[in-house]
Amino acid sequence: MTHLTLAKPDHFDAVAKLVTDFHAEERIDMSDTDRAAAIMPLLEGSPHGAIYLAGPARAPVGYLALSFAWSIHMGGLEALVDELYIRPGVRGRGIGTEILHGLPTQLASMGLKALHLDVHRDNTRARKLYEKLGFEADEDYILMSRSL
């Protein structure tokens, strides 16, 4: 099983490097200052989310970022997989599968009612993995966003 560590402020450099690599791969344009401002509250224990490092904390192979929300129709606390990144050199070894298989069980034991994620429609590899792990596309709803 892939070891997960709840990231803390002393993990900032490792997290920032992984997030920067993920953003470059996904063509997410964000300044280092804005990225740090988005990461640090999660490392400091914000109730709005958490970041988990995958693999050894001193040399992580990836990370998972969760954002938390409250849902009446889900019956309580829910989470969104905001970002999941595994270094290219270790992809295909089941690390993402292990994370998304084991962590939800752990979170459910702490009261989480639902886990959501979004994925590009054309990312068939990721969609296949997520479907295998029990995630379903909700054809009745679409995610709509407005930047503020």
Side-chain angles (χ1 to χ4, degrees):
M1 178 74 179
T2 299
H3 180 73
L4 292 177
T5 301
L6 180 62
K8 301 290 185 188
D10 58 330
H11 298 118
F12 176 79
D13 290 340
V15 171
K17 171 71 171 117
L18 290 165
V19 173
T20 299
D21 290 349
F22 174 68
H23 287 184
E25 189 174 306
E26 292 292 315
R27 294 185 212 94
I28 297 170
D29 185 28
M30 181 180 241
S31 72
D32 290 340
T33 302
D34 289 344
R35 190 175 294 114
I39 293 169
M40 191 52 84
L42 300 178
L43 302 182
E44 292 173 335
S46 168
H48 302 292
I51 297 175
Y52 290 88
L53 295 171
R58 292 183 186 206
V61 297
Y63 73 97
L64 172 80
L66 295 174
S67 297
F68 299 120
W70 193 264
S71 171
I72 294 171
H73 79 271
M74 288 291 181
L77 188 64
E78 63 182 358
L80 170 70
V81 175
D82 183 50
E83 296 183 357
L84 172 60
Y85 176 74
I86 306 298
R87 291 184 188 274
V90 295
R91 288 183 190 156
R93 298 181 188 180
I95 296 169
T97 300
E98 287 181 7
I99 292 169
L100 290 175
H101 181 20
L103 189 60
T105 302
Q106 199 174 15
L107 294 171
S109 73
M110 294 184 280
L112 194 75
K113 301 297 184 183
L115 183 63
H116 309 283
L117 54 79
D118 57 10
V119 60
H120 288 283
R121 291 184 193 278
D122 61 349
N123 190 343
T124 55
R125 182 178 180 195
R127 287 180 69 173
K128 185 177 179 181
L129 167 65
Y130 300 149
E131 288 168 357
K132 181 176 92 173
L133 291 168
F135 290 89
E136 298 174 356
D138 190 332
E139 302 299 331
D140 294 331
Y141 295 92
I142 59 170
L143 177 66
M144 298 176 69
S145 303
R146 177 180 170 194
S147 295
L148 306 176

